[in-house]
Amino acid sequence: MKRSEIATIIIEAKQFAQNLQVPLPPFADWDKMIFKNLSQNHQIDEIIDNRLGWDVTDFDKGDFFNYGLTALTMRNGNFNQPDKYPKPYAEKMLLVEDGQILPLHFHWEKTEDIINRGGGVLQIKLYNATPQEALDQTHQVHVVMDGVLKTFTAGSIIELLPGQSITLTPRIYHQWQAKPGLGKVMLFEVSSTNDDSTDNRFYEKMPRMSQVTEDIESEMLLVSDYDEFLNK
């Protein structure tokens, strides 16, 4: 993705949150120099180590508005440093553009609630994973939606209207799309500790983070920029 495209997407994400009256944490507005200055004396180790902040990806497909995701991780624990960061939970804001698809994947470790907080309608396709991590085309998928246990046939597409949620446990393949024509969707994800670098199993092999082309000098950092920028 181009850095200029990412910068515009983040600006529009913050505007969408403002329109839905969802205040964001202070670090959602920090520029590079604020990150740099606060990192000098370890004030923001939790933000850096646990990857709190912006994440914009097109999964290297080069077609963000059809395949992509904008995320703001607002709190998180850490699989690798549980003594330093004992939080067993994470929270994200996820924005899905009108018609945009999040590719089919599951998590080995993470259990997550996906909550439609406003905007359009989210469509989710569901499968169990086989022991070999293929799509289980036979067995029913059992999920909880807003406290109600529900059962669906493999490959079913369900819809989340604003206010509705679904709990996805490990090894449930899911693909979602903002229902075309109904607008962008704001999701919140409330989950167990999250590590996007190790806990995503995409059905079709693809990178979780995008390669970035530096066509402009942007003041905004993605979580994938932290290590390189802050260690300069």
Side-chain angles (χ1 to χ4, degrees), residues 135-151:
L135 297 181
D136 184 338
Q137 302 279 3
T138 303
H139 293 92
Q140 295 176 319
V141 183
H142 304 285
V143 295
V144 172
M145 298 180 66
D146 297 305
V148 179
L149 178 63
K150 299 198 174 186
T151 300

PDB file of all heavy atoms in Angstrom, residues 135-151:
ATOM      1  N   LEU A 135     -11.239 -26.592   5.253  1.00  0.00           N
ATOM      2  CA  LEU A 135     -12.610 -26.219   5.582  1.00  0.00           C
ATOM      3  C   LEU A 135     -13.429 -27.475   5.845  1.00  0.00           C
ATOM      4  O   LEU A 135     -13.466 -28.387   5.021  1.00  0.00           O
ATOM      5  CB  LEU A 135     -13.248 -25.432   4.430  1.00  0.00           C
ATOM      6  CG  LEU A 135     -12.626 -24.088   4.070  1.00  0.00           C
ATOM      7  CD1 LEU A 135     -13.420 -23.452   2.931  1.00  0.00           C
ATOM      8  CD2 LEU A 135     -12.568 -23.167   5.261  1.00  0.00           C
ATOM      9  N   ASP A 136     -14.070 -27.519   6.985  1.00  0.00           N
ATOM     10  CA  ASP A 136     -14.964 -28.624   7.311  1.00  0.00           C
ATOM     11  C   ASP A 136     -16.314 -28.337   6.646  1.00  0.00           C
ATOM     12  O   ASP A 136     -17.061 -27.474   7.099  1.00  0.00           O
ATOM     13  CB  ASP A 136     -15.109 -28.737   8.827  1.00  0.00           C
ATOM     14  CG  ASP A 136     -15.944 -29.931   9.262  1.00  0.00           C
ATOM     15  OD1 ASP A 136     -16.745 -30.431   8.442  1.00  0.00           O
ATOM     16  OD2 ASP A 136     -15.816 -30.352  10.431  1.00  0.00           O
ATOM     17  N   GLN A 137     -16.587 -29.036   5.584  1.00  0.00           N
ATOM     18  CA  GLN A 137     -17.809 -28.805   4.811  1.00  0.00           C
ATOM     19  C   GLN A 137     -18.997 -29.590   5.369  1.00  0.00           C
ATOM     20  O   GLN A 137     -20.114 -29.458   4.848  1.00  0.00           O
ATOM     21  CB  GLN A 137     -17.583 -29.229   3.351  1.00  0.00           C
ATOM     22  CG  GLN A 137     -16.432 -28.512   2.657  1.00  0.00           C
ATOM     23  CD  GLN A 137     -16.801 -27.136   2.146  1.00  0.00           C
ATOM     24  OE1 GLN A 137     -17.924 -26.660   2.344  1.00  0.00           O
ATOM     25  NE2 GLN A 137     -15.874 -26.476   1.473  1.00  0.00           N
ATOM     26  N   THR A 138     -18.779 -30.382   6.418  1.00  0.00           N
ATOM     27  CA  THR A 138     -19.792 -31.322   6.896  1.00  0.00           C
ATOM     28  C   THR A 138     -20.430 -30.917   8.219  1.00  0.00           C
ATOM     29  O   THR A 138     -21.657 -30.891   8.353  1.00  0.00           O
ATOM     30  CB  THR A 138     -19.173 -32.724   7.049  1.00  0.00           C
ATOM     31  OG1 THR A 138     -18.610 -33.128   5.804  1.00  0.00           O
ATOM     32  CG2 THR A 138     -20.229 -33.732   7.497  1.00  0.00           C
ATOM     33  N   HIS A 139     -19.593 -30.589   9.191  1.00  0.00           N
ATOM     34  CA  HIS A 139     -20.100 -30.398  10.548  1.00  0.00           C
ATOM     35  C   HIS A 139     -20.678 -29.001  10.755  1.00  0.00           C
ATOM     36  O   HIS A 139     -20.204 -28.020  10.182  1.00  0.00           O
ATOM     37  CB  HIS A 139     -18.996 -30.660  11.574  1.00  0.00           C
ATOM     38  CG  HIS A 139     -18.562 -32.090  11.621  1.00  0.00           C
ATOM     39  ND1 HIS A 139     -17.524 -32.572  10.858  1.00  0.00           N
ATOM     40  CD2 HIS A 139     -19.050 -33.143  12.325  1.00  0.00           C
ATOM     41  CE1 HIS A 139     -17.372 -33.858  11.089  1.00  0.00           C
ATOM     42  NE2 HIS A 139     -18.285 -34.238  11.970  1.00  0.00           N
ATOM     43  N   GLN A 140     -21.696 -28.929  11.592  1.00  0.00           N
ATOM     44  CA  GLN A 140     -22.321 -27.653  11.921  1.00  0.00           C
ATOM     45  C   GLN A 140     -21.382 -26.791  12.756  1.00  0.00           C
ATOM     46  O   GLN A 140     -20.495 -27.293  13.455  1.00  0.00           O
ATOM     47  CB  GLN A 140     -23.626 -27.892  12.682  1.00  0.00           C
ATOM     48  CG  GLN A 140     -24.700 -28.604  11.861  1.00  0.00           C
ATOM     49  CD  GLN A 140     -25.935 -28.908  12.677  1.00  0.00           C
ATOM     50  OE1 GLN A 140     -25.839 -29.306  13.836  1.00  0.00           O
ATOM     51  NE2 GLN A 140     -27.098 -28.726  12.077  1.00  0.00           N
ATOM     52  N   VAL A 141     -21.599 -25.493  12.673  1.00  0.00           N
ATOM     53  CA  VAL A 141     -20.809 -24.531  13.440  1.00  0.00           C
ATOM     54  C   VAL A 141     -21.667 -24.012  14.587  1.00  0.00           C
ATOM     55  O   VAL A 141     -22.798 -23.558  14.372  1.00  0.00           O
ATOM     56  CB  VAL A 141     -20.362 -23.349  12.554  1.00  0.00           C
ATOM     57  CG1 VAL A 141     -19.482 -22.387  13.351  1.00  0.00           C
ATOM     58  CG2 VAL A 141     -19.621 -23.850  11.319  1.00  0.00           C
ATOM     59  N   HIS A 142     -21.126 -24.089  15.796  1.00  0.00           N
ATOM     60  CA  HIS A 142     -21.839 -23.635  16.989  1.00  0.00           C
ATOM     61  C   HIS A 142     -21.196 -22.338  17.485  1.00  0.00           C
ATOM     62  O   HIS A 142     -19.993 -22.290  17.753  1.00  0.00           O
ATOM     63  CB  HIS A 142     -21.787 -24.695  18.088  1.00  0.00           C
ATOM     64  CG  HIS A 142     -22.321 -26.027  17.668  1.00  0.00           C
ATOM     65  ND1 HIS A 142     -23.666 -26.283  17.522  1.00  0.00           N
ATOM     66  CD2 HIS A 142     -21.679 -27.183  17.338  1.00  0.00           C
ATOM     67  CE1 HIS A 142     -23.847 -27.532  17.140  1.00  0.00           C
ATOM     68  NE2 HIS A 142     -22.648 -28.106  17.015  1.00  0.00           N
ATOM     69  N   VAL A 143     -21.992 -21.299  17.611  1.00  0.00           N
ATOM     70  CA  VAL A 143     -21.509 -20.008  18.106  1.00  0.00           C
ATOM     71  C   VAL A 143     -22.528 -19.434  19.078  1.00  0.00           C
ATOM     72  O   VAL A 143     -23.688 -19.863  19.115  1.00  0.00           O
ATOM     73  CB  VAL A 143     -21.280 -18.994  16.956  1.00  0.00           C
ATOM     74  CG1 VAL A 143     -20.163 -19.450  16.034  1.00  0.00           C
ATOM     75  CG2 VAL A 143     -22.557 -18.753  16.174  1.00  0.00           C
ATOM     76  N   VAL A 144     -22.073 -18.476  19.854  1.00  0.00           N
ATOM     77  CA  VAL A 144     -22.970 -17.730  20.734  1.00  0.00           C
ATOM     78  C   VAL A 144     -23.118 -16.324  20.167  1.00  0.00           C
ATOM     79  O   VAL A 144     -22.126 -15.671  19.838  1.00  0.00           O
ATOM     80  CB  VAL A 144     -22.435 -17.684  22.178  1.00  0.00           C
ATOM     81  CG1 VAL A 144     -23.280 -16.750  23.037  1.00  0.00           C
ATOM     82  CG2 VAL A 144     -22.408 -19.086  22.780  1.00  0.00           C
ATOM     83  N   MET A 145     -24.370 -15.870  20.045  1.00  0.00           N
ATOM     84  CA  MET A 145     -24.649 -14.524  19.566  1.00  0.00           C
ATOM     85  C   MET A 145     -25.446 -13.790  20.634  1.00  0.00           C
ATOM     86  O   MET A 145     -26.576 -14.173  20.940  1.00  0.00           O
ATOM     87  CB  MET A 145     -25.422 -14.567  18.245  1.00  0.00           C
ATOM     88  CG  MET A 145     -24.641 -15.242  17.110  1.00  0.00           C
ATOM     89  SD  MET A 145     -25.545 -15.288  15.536  1.00  0.00           S
ATOM     90  CE  MET A 145     -25.633 -13.527  15.140  1.00  0.00           C
ATOM     91  N   ASP A 146     -24.814 -12.792  21.248  1.00  0.00           N
ATOM     92  CA  ASP A 146     -25.460 -12.009  22.312  1.00  0.00           C
ATOM     93  C   ASP A 146     -26.071 -12.924  23.364  1.00  0.00           C
ATOM     94  O   ASP A 146     -27.219 -12.752  23.783  1.00  0.00           O
ATOM     95  CB  ASP A 146     -26.503 -11.073  21.715  1.00  0.00           C
ATOM     96  CG  ASP A 146     -25.883 -10.041  20.785  1.00  0.00           C
ATOM     97  OD1 ASP A 146     -24.966  -9.324  21.230  1.00  0.00           O
ATOM     98  OD2 ASP A 146     -26.278  -9.989  19.608  1.00  0.00           O
ATOM     99  N   GLY A 147     -25.288 -13.914  23.782  1.00  0.00           N
ATOM    100  CA  GLY A 147     -25.702 -14.795  24.869  1.00  0.00           C
ATOM    101  C   GLY A 147     -26.580 -15.959  24.467  1.00  0.00           C
ATOM    102  O   GLY A 147     -26.958 -16.769  25.309  1.00  0.00           O
ATOM    103  N   VAL A 148     -26.911 -16.071  23.175  1.00  0.00           N
ATOM    104  CA  VAL A 148     -27.802 -17.130  22.692  1.00  0.00           C
ATOM    105  C   VAL A 148     -26.993 -18.109  21.852  1.00  0.00           C
ATOM    106  O   VAL A 148     -26.350 -17.722  20.872  1.00  0.00           O
ATOM    107  CB  VAL A 148     -28.965 -16.546  21.862  1.00  0.00           C
ATOM    108  CG1 VAL A 148     -29.870 -17.663  21.355  1.00  0.00           C
ATOM    109  CG2 VAL A 148     -29.764 -15.542  22.693  1.00  0.00           C
ATOM    110  N   LEU A 149     -27.003 -19.403  22.223  1.00  0.00           N
ATOM    111  CA  LEU A 149     -26.308 -20.428  21.466  1.00  0.00           C
ATOM    112  C   LEU A 149     -27.047 -20.687  20.157  1.00  0.00           C
ATOM    113  O   LEU A 149     -28.254 -20.934  20.153  1.00  0.00           O
ATOM    114  CB  LEU A 149     -26.227 -21.719  22.284  1.00  0.00           C
ATOM    115  CG  LEU A 149     -25.549 -22.908  21.591  1.00  0.00           C
ATOM    116  CD1 LEU A 149     -24.081 -22.602  21.280  1.00  0.00           C
ATOM    117  CD2 LEU A 149     -25.670 -24.162  22.459  1.00  0.00           C
ATOM    118  N   LYS A 150     -26.304 -20.633  19.044  1.00  0.00           N
ATOM    119  CA  LYS A 150     -26.916 -20.850  17.736  1.00  0.00           C
ATOM    120  C   LYS A 150     -26.084 -21.844  16.933  1.00  0.00           C
ATOM    121  O   LYS A 150     -24.867 -21.954  17.117  1.00  0.00           O
ATOM    122  CB  LYS A 150     -27.063 -19.534  16.972  1.00  0.00           C
ATOM    123  CG  LYS A 150     -27.945 -18.524  17.702  1.00  0.00           C
ATOM    124  CD  LYS A 150     -28.447 -17.435  16.788  1.00  0.00           C
ATOM    125  CE  LYS A 150     -29.436 -16.530  17.531  1.00  0.00           C
ATOM    126  NZ  LYS A 150     -30.072 -15.543  16.646  1.00  0.00           N
ATOM    127  N   THR A 151     -26.741 -22.545  16.028  1.00  0.00           N
ATOM    128  CA  THR A 151     -26.097 -23.568  15.211  1.00  0.00           C
ATOM    129  C   THR A 151     -26.370 -23.281  13.741  1.00  0.00           C
ATOM    130  O   THR A 151     -27.514 -23.016  13.355  1.00  0.00           O
ATOM    131  CB  THR A 151     -26.629 -24.961  15.582  1.00  0.00           C
ATOM    132  OG1 THR A 151     -26.343 -25.223  16.969  1.00  0.00           O
ATOM    133  CG2 THR A 151     -25.960 -26.035  14.729  1.00  0.00           C
TER     134      THR A 151
END
